Amino acid sequence: MHLTLKRLLGATAAVATGATALLGTGAGPAGAADRVHCDRAERPIWSEGPSRNMTGHRCSLPTDEHRWYTVEIDTLVQPHHKTDYLNGEVDRTETLHHRTVRCLGYTSENGTVNWFGCPPR
């Protein structure tokens, strides 16, 4: 094997190893999401797609502060709105079972948990 080819393969392997190490480090904290459970949740669907917010009922609350929370939902109700207004007409309602949604944070009040920053899949 030529010396130039060996150097090129060595450099490629070093870059690939370095990239893997960096990606692994970056994915570590993001993967450490606190898992919680909600019996039921509602997430409206607008003309542009799913809302980034979700309302959960009978939810366990996270024990630690994390960057992301993984919310396991038994029943997810998604009303498809005809307009982009909450009090607007609903075209149809979709009910999904055993779904997992990742959210950035939450607030809770009177047994209801309002999850926010939940990007669509």
Side-chain angles (χ1 to χ4, degrees):
M1 194 183 286
H2 296 311
L3 186 59
T4 306
L5 184 56
K6 284 184 181 179
R7 286 182 181 166
L8 182 62
L9 288 174
T12 303
V15 168
T17 303
T20 303
L22 286 174
L23 288 174
T25 303
D34 200 5
R35 291 180 102 58
V36 297
H37 176 266
C38 290
D39 287 343
R40 179 183 169 87
E42 293 94 27
R43 182 179 198 179
I45 306 293
W46 309 109
S47 61
E48 297 292 321
S51 172
R52 303 307 193 258
N53 300 325
M54 181 174 65
T55 303
H57 304 280
R58 294 181 302 281
C59 298
S60 61
L61 291 178
T63 55
D64 297 323
E65 288 188 22
H66 286 275
R67 181 175 216 94
W68 288 95
Y69 299 96
T70 301
V71 185
E72 297 171 346
I73 305 162
D74 288 342
T75 304
L76 177 61
V77 179
Q78 295 183 317
H80 291 256
H81 291 269
K82 287 184 176 181
T83 66
D84 286 337
Y85 299 102
L86 189 57
N87 60 352
E89 238 182 286
V90 174
D91 183 36
R92 63 187 168 89
T93 300
E94 186 177 14
T95 302
L96 306 172
H97 299 282
H98 307 292
R99 297 295 171 168
T100 301
V101 178
R102 289 177 49 97
C103 297
L104 188 57
Y106 70 95
T107 60
S108 62
E109 184 178 335
N110 298 331
T112 300
V113 181
N114 297 303
W115 298 97
F116 59 86
C118 309
R121 288 181 152 192

